[in-house]
């Protein structure tokens, strides 16, 4: 039994020793051989990275125009809504009383307007004509009285007497006084016309105000049924059955916020772009997104159509769906900078246009990648392989075909590079597709290290 145990222990030691020896040898060989990669052909994009937050482009706070007790709540947060869907029903009694009062006020205003119009008609018609006729009648009578007075005064003293002269003089004075009175009445009649016109104008204004008050009262009565003004999702319900609501017409703050609705069909990511990158974002932004654009330049309402106008749409990723990518369209670039802790950024709104946009929820943190430059079908070299060689030229080391076996000799090739995305660079000169390049140089032979 003891001999068997010793045999098993020896065998185990042999296996462990063999594994350790082969592992160390493999690591040593790998270190001597270095690491290699190949030059490939493909597309390269120079990205601009930013972070932001997902939010709806339209957020509507629904306030109460009407007053009353909450009788019913029809929807709950998270429910999908269509425009016109009822959310809350209020007790209509108070608003109905307001309608009744406004209806009575309108009837009174209408009666006053009709009365004012009748008075204007009289002032322009019979009253004015009567005054003019009175003046026209008294003018010849006064002329005749003056003629008779002048005639008797022209007679000799033996042809007349003092009593008759006094009568004729008195008649002239009486006719003159009546004419003056008639002229005054005519002036009064003329002044009564614009006064009557002003009264009609005031009555019409009162009537229109009464009509507007009735329309407002009827509108508030209708709004005891609170409905959604847009298609979207109910984000928040801020009241409950039994609560008493004060309408916007009776409060200084413009009414109580009852609910919040979000237009989730148009979600945006408000990205914070560093000041060093915003210039390149401006260069690739569509015309409708640039500050200072003409008012007539607008983004198409159809998101698919807008996306077709953008060659390289921004890509969006969120933590909730790490393996999924969303695309968007730059909608607006804000010209006012944001500054926090000495870092200056500019806000850029990106409308999510990809079909999977309905998976995003407001408040999600998002990473946005803009494409500032792009090249297609070019040679790509791993950045790990790019090194500084003789005469401080940049290039790559490749295996030397003339190197003795097992010595892993290298040869330097100077190159010209283009765009760099951080992982690979565009090769413009010096390499060909499929070439093997060192990303980690091999170890030098023992004799070379001694030398």
């Amino acid at each position: 039994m003891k001999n068997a145990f010793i045999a098993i222990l020896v065998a185990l030691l042999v296996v462990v020793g063999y594994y350790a020896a082969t592992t160390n040898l493999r690591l040593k060989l790998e270190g001597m051989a270095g690491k290699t990669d190949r030059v490939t052909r493909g597309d390269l994009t120079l990205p601009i990275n930013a972070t932001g937050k997902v939010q709806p482009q339209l957020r509507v706070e629904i306030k109460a125009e009407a007053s009353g007790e909450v009788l019913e709540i029809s929807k709950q947060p998270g429910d999908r809504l269509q425009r016109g869907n009822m959310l809350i029903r209020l007790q209509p009694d108070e608003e109905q009383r307001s309608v009744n009062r406004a209806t009575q006020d309108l009837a009174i205003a209408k009666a006053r307007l009709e009365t004012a119009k009748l008075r204007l008609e009289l002032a322009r018609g019979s009253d004015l004509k009567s005054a003019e006729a009175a003046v026209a009648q008294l003018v010849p009578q006064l002329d005749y009285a003056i003629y008779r007075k002048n005639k008797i005064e022209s007679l000799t003293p033996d042809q007349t007497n003092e009593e008759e002269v006094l009568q004729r003089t008195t008649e002239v004075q009486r006719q003159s006084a009546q004419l003056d009175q008639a002229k005054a009445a005519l002036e009064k009649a003329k002044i009564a016309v614009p006064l009557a016109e002003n009264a009609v104008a005031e009555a019409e204004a009162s009537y229109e105000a009464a009509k507007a008050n009735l329309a407002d009262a009827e509108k508030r009565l209708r709004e005891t049924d609170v409905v959604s003004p847009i298609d979207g999702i109910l984000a928040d319900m801020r009241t409950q059955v039994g609560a008493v609501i004060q309408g916007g017409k009776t409060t200084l703050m413009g009414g109580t916020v009852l609910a919040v609705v979000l237009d989730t069909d148009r979600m945006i990511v408000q990205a914070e772009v560093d000041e060093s990158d915003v210039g390149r974002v401006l260069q690739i932004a569509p015309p409708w997104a640039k500050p200072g654009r003409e008012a007539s330049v607008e983004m198409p309402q159809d998101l698919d159509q807008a996306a077709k106008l953008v060659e390289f749409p921004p890509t969006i990723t969120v933590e909730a769906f790490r393996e999924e990518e969303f695309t968007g369209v730059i909608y607006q670039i804000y010209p006012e900078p944001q500054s926090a802790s000495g870092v200056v950024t500019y806000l850029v709104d990106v409308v999510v246009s990809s079909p999977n946009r309905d998976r995003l929820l407001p408040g999600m943190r998002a990473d946005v990648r803009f494409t500032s430059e792009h090249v297609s079908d070019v040679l790509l070299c791993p950045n790990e392989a790019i090194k500084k060689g003789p005469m401080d030229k940049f290039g790559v080391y490749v295996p030397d075909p003339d190197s003795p076996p097992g010595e892993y000799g290298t040869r330097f090739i100077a190159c010209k590079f283009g765009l760099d995305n951080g992982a690979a660079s565009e090769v413009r000169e010096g390499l060909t597709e499929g070439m093997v390049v060192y990303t980690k140089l091999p170890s030098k032979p023992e004799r070379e290290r001694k030398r």
Side-chain angles (χ1 to χ4, degrees):
M1 184 66 180
K2 183 177 181 181
N3 291 337
F5 177 76
I6 294 174
I8 293 173
L9 182 60
V10 170
L12 182 60
L13 291 174
V14 170
V15 171
V16 171
Y18 174 78
Y19 177 78
T22 54
T23 299
N24 289 334
L25 179 61
R26 184 174 70 252
L27 292 175
K28 184 176 181 180
L29 290 175
E30 287 179 355
M32 293 178 62
K35 292 183 180 180
T36 61
D37 204 341
R38 289 185 180 275
V39 176
T40 60
R41 183 171 293 277
D43 301 337
L44 187 141
T45 297
L46 186 61
I48 299 172
N49 297 316
T51 60
K53 184 172 68 173
V54 178
Q55 60 189 45
Q57 188 175 8
L58 181 61
R59 178 181 182 273
V60 180
E61 290 186 346
I62 301 176
K63 294 185 177 182
E65 289 292 333
S67 299
E69 181 183 351
V70 177
L71 297 181
E72 178 184 350
I73 295 178
S74 304
K75 301 291 184 180
Q76 297 300 324
D79 288 352
R80 170 69 64 175
L81 301 175
Q82 291 184 343
R83 182 176 182 178
N85 284 162
M86 193 184 75
L87 302 176
I88 301 165
R89 176 164 291 158
L90 303 179
Q91 172 63 256
D93 291 355
E94 182 177 345
E95 299 302 338
Q96 183 61 62
R97 286 191 292 270
S98 296
V99 169
N100 295 340
R101 286 193 297 269
T103 302
Q104 294 172 357
D105 292 342
L106 179 61
I108 294 171
K110 184 176 181 181
R112 288 175 177 170
L113 176 59
E114 294 299 327
T115 300
K117 287 180 177 180
L118 289 175
R119 288 175 177 169
L120 175 60
E121 186 178 349
L122 287 173
R124 287 175 174 173
S126 59
D127 290 352
L128 183 60
K129 290 178 180 179
S130 297
E132 290 173 342
V135 172
Q137 183 180 7
L138 290 171
V139 168
Q141 291 179 3
L142 177 60
D143 292 342
Y144 180 65
I146 293 172
Y147 168 76
R148 291 183 67 190
K149 175 179 175 291
N150 290 339
K151 184 177 180 180
I152 199 169
E153 286 179 346
S154 65
L155 296 177
T156 60
D158 60 333
Q159 292 176 334
T160 181
N161 57 59
E162 293 182 3
E163 183 179 356
E164 190 174 0
V165 172
L166 182 59
Q167 288 178 350
R168 299 294 172 85
T169 301
T170 303
E171 180 65 18
V172 170
Q173 293 174 349
R174 186 177 67 82
Q175 292 291 342
S176 179
Q178 289 182 353
L179 179 58
D180 289 342
Q181 186 177 3
K183 287 181 177 180
L186 176 59
E187 291 301 320
K188 185 177 180 181
K190 289 180 178 179
I191 294 174
V193 173
L195 291 176
E197 290 174 344
N198 290 339
V200 169
E202 291 178 2
E204 286 178 340
S206 298
Y207 177 70
E208 292 300 323
K211 282 176 60 178
N213 289 338
L214 177 58
D216 288 344
E218 290 174 339
K219 181 175 180 288
R220 291 196 300 273
L221 178 60
R222 291 192 301 271
E223 289 184 353
T224 54
D225 286 346
V226 181
V227 301
S228 175
I230 61 170
D231 296 343
I233 288 179
L234 180 61
D236 192 11
M237 178 63 68
R238 299 186 181 179
T239 188
Q240 59 186 356
V241 174
V244 177
I245 304 301
Q246 294 297 319
K249 295 294 182 180
T250 58
T251 59
L252 296 176
M253 302 303 292
T256 305
V257 177
L258 302 181
V260 178
V261 180
L262 307 178
D263 179 9
T264 54
D265 288 336
R266 290 180 73 89
M267 301 292 285
I268 68 170
V269 176
Q270 193 165 77
E272 299 177 1
V273 178
D274 191 87
E275 62 175 328
S276 61
D277 296 325
V278 73
R280 289 186 291 160
V281 174
L282 282 168
Q283 291 178 351
I284 63 174
W288 60 75
K290 296 181 179 180
R293 66 188 182 278
E294 295 292 334
S296 58
V297 181
E298 296 182 351
M299 175 178 164
Q301 289 296 318
D302 189 307
L303 292 179
D304 293 334
Q305 180 183 353
K308 290 178 182 178
L309 300 175
V310 179
E311 184 177 4
F312 300 109
T315 59
I316 302 162
T317 55
V318 295
E319 281 295 322
F321 309 105
R322 297 181 182 179
E323 305 301 323
E324 195 167 356
E325 190 174 82
F326 304 82
T327 57
V329 177
I330 299 176
Y331 172 69
Q332 185 175 10
I333 299 175
Y334 294 82
E336 185 177 6
Q338 310 288 314
S339 180
S341 301
V343 178
V344 177
T345 58
Y346 290 83
L347 298 180
V348 178
D349 285 348
V350 178
V351 179
V352 186
S353 58
S354 52
N356 58 348
R357 60 182 179 271
D358 59 346
R359 294 171 64 80
L360 297 176
L361 294 176
M364 288 182 172
R365 298 298 300 177
D367 295 318
V368 183
R369 173 171 290 190
F370 303 91
T371 300
S372 64
E373 295 183 67
H374 179 85
V375 288
S376 300
D377 194 29
V378 296
L379 293 178
L380 301 177
C381 176
N383 282 354
E384 290 181 323
I386 300 175
K387 295 176 172 56
K388 186 180 288 188
M391 301 180 67
D392 289 337
K393 292 184 177 181
F394 283 96
V396 298
Y397 285 92
V398 299
D400 185 355
D402 299 330
S403 177
E407 292 194 3
Y408 305 107
T410 62
R411 181 165 58 91
F412 180 78
I413 299 177
C415 305
K416 290 184 178 180
F417 299 100
L419 291 183
D420 172 11
N421 68 357
S425 294
E426 172 194 6
V427 181
R428 295 181 177 176
E429 188 178 306
L431 302 177
T432 59
E433 184 177 358
M435 287 186 65
V436 176
V437 295
Y438 278 109
T439 58
K440 180 181 179 182
L441 292 175
S443 299
K444 295 180 180 180
E446 183 69 23
R447 66 173 179 271
E448 187 173 341
R449 286 201 301 272
K450 290 180 179 180
R451 188 185 308 159

